[in-house]
Amino acid sequence: TFSGEKTEFGDSVLKIPNLVIRKLYAERIREMFLPGSGDEIVRTARNFYKSGEMGPLCDFIEQKYFKIFDNRDYRWANELTVKTAFLTLLFDDIFYIMDSETSLERGYADMTMIARPDMRQYPLLDFLMEFKYVSLKDAELSGEQAKNMGIEELRALAPVQKKLAESETKLKEYQKILLSEYGDLLRLHTYSLVSLGFERLIWKKLEYKAV
């Protein structure tokens, strides 16, 4: 539906009208890309909800989600593609208040997952994420080379380091805003994530001190 906003060229900006439709979109995309993987997705997501361990989640996306893309899909590759993958896998409106492009004062966080008040009795963590994308061309790597590199080698790549630094600056500000709003109630885990083509995911967890 129309959001009431305009692009710089005056085009109307569309938005998903409500939470029910957003959930339907997430479920439809998930089933379209990963048919028959429902139980595995639930296990992977719930492990992440309680542990905050990004490694297994990224491994699942690399091994399952990224496998459906081919060379033609690189024409449309960007940060939104990566964010959509995470959003469709982690979407749960029973446990979480989930938002994409969350408005935080004068900025927009890529994705927030705040446990609902009536669900805080369960072992649910809160999450703040920022997504970046680096093409294989910019990294001067082939897909095969990227697959064979260790995570620390990938983190050391100059284009990856640049993207991690960019998102870290934003995330520190978003952290302060969320912590000032929720205080000690928040069990916040903050991640900067960089997708290297549709081959690898590199992440960095940001530590914080409660305010």
Side-chain angles (χ1 to χ4, degrees), residues 83 99-104 107-112 128-130 174:
K83 181 171 67 175
D99 211 343
S100 172
E101 298 297 327
T102 313
S103 178
L104 296 172
Y108 291 89
D110 279 348
M111 194 163 120
T112 57
L128 167 65
M129 302 181 202
E130 189 80 7
Y174 298 153

Side-chain angles (χ1 to χ4, degrees), residues 177-191:
I177 296 167
L178 287 173
L179 290 168
S180 65
E181 181 177 348
Y182 291 94
D184 293 338
L185 184 67
L186 212 60
R187 299 186 288 263
L188 188 63
H189 287 232
T190 303
Y191 294 98

Side-chain angles (χ1 to χ4, degrees), residues 26 29-30 41 44-45 48-49 53-62 65-66 79-92 98 110-111 113 129-132 191-195 200-203:
I29 293 172
R30 194 162 54 206
I41 290 171
T44 302
F48 179 70
Y49 298 160
E53 294 178 0
M54 185 60 73
L57 179 61
C58 288
D59 287 345
F60 180 87
I61 293 175
E62 287 178 359
Y65 218 118
F66 282 175
E79 294 160 12
L80 178 60
T81 313
V82 184
K83 181 171 67 175
T84 300
F86 277 81
L87 186 61
T88 55
L89 291 178
L90 295 177
F91 191 93
D92 191 312
M98 300 195 63
D110 279 348
M111 194 163 120
M113 298 173 61
M129 302 181 202
E130 189 80 7
F131 300 96
K132 297 293 183 183
Y191 294 98
S192 171
L193 292 122
V194 178
S195 181
R200 302 296 300 276
L201 286 164
I202 305 100
W203 70 92

Side-chain angles (χ1 to χ4, degrees), residues 5-210:
E5 299 179 2
K6 299 280 188 178
T7 69
E8 61 180 322
F9 296 106
D11 300 313
S12 294
V13 176
L14 298 178
K15 68 176 183 178
I16 298 174
N18 55 54
L19 190 60
V20 173
I21 299 301
R22 178 172 292 188
K23 181 177 182 180
L24 291 174
Y25 270 121
E27 290 174 349
R28 180 69 183 97
I29 293 172
R30 194 162 54 206
E31 182 59 28
M32 180 172 62
F33 285 139
L34 300 169
S37 299
D39 291 344
E40 187 177 5
I41 290 171
V42 170
R43 286 195 301 272
T44 302
R46 291 195 173 187
N47 176 67
F48 179 70
Y49 298 160
K50 68 179 181 179
S51 71
E53 294 178 0
M54 185 60 73
L57 179 61
C58 288
D59 287 345
F60 180 87
I61 293 175
E62 287 178 359
Q63 295 166 15
K64 297 292 181 70
Y65 218 118
F66 282 175
K67 295 296 185 184
I68 66 176
F69 297 120
D70 61 26
N71 290 334
R72 292 171 297 177
D73 293 308
Y74 274 99
R75 293 176 298 170
W76 319 112
N78 56 33
E79 294 160 12
L80 178 60
T81 313
V82 184
K83 181 171 67 175
T84 300
F86 277 81
L87 186 61
T88 55
L89 291 178
L90 295 177
F91 191 93
D92 191 312
D93 61 339
I94 295 175
F95 290 150
Y96 285 99
I97 301 169
M98 300 195 63
D99 211 343
S100 172
E101 298 297 327
T102 313
S103 178
L104 296 172
E105 293 187 357
R106 288 184 293 275
Y108 291 89
D110 279 348
M111 194 163 120
T112 57
M113 298 173 61
I114 307 299
R116 293 185 177 277
D118 58 331
M119 291 292 164
R120 289 200 169 272
Q121 59 185 300
Y122 302 113
L124 297 171
L125 301 172
D126 307 287
F127 299 101
L128 167 65
M129 302 181 202
E130 189 80 7
F131 300 96
K132 297 293 183 183
Y133 180 84
V134 172
S135 68
L136 292 173
K137 180 179 179 181
D138 288 344
E140 299 181 344
L141 294 171
S142 67
E144 193 62 31
Q145 287 174 318
K147 289 176 184 176
N148 292 327
M149 292 177 69
I151 190 69
E152 293 304 324
E153 290 180 287
L154 294 169
R155 285 198 184 104
L157 294 171
V160 172
Q161 288 188 332
K162 180 180 178 182
K163 293 294 185 180
L164 287 172
E166 288 175 3
S167 62
E168 184 172 350
T169 299
K170 293 182 180 180
L171 286 168
K172 285 180 178 179
E173 291 302 314
Y174 298 153
Q175 276 184 342
K176 291 178 183 177
I177 296 167
L178 287 173
L179 290 168
S180 65
E181 181 177 348
Y182 291 94
D184 293 338
L185 184 67
L186 212 60
R187 299 186 288 263
L188 188 63
H189 287 232
T190 303
Y191 294 98
S192 171
L193 292 122
V194 178
S195 181
L196 180 58
F198 289 140
E199 306 297 338
R200 302 296 300 276
L201 286 164
I202 305 100
W203 70 92
K204 181 179 180 180
K205 183 178 180 181
L206 276 68
E207 300 300 330
Y208 74 95
K209 294 182 180 179

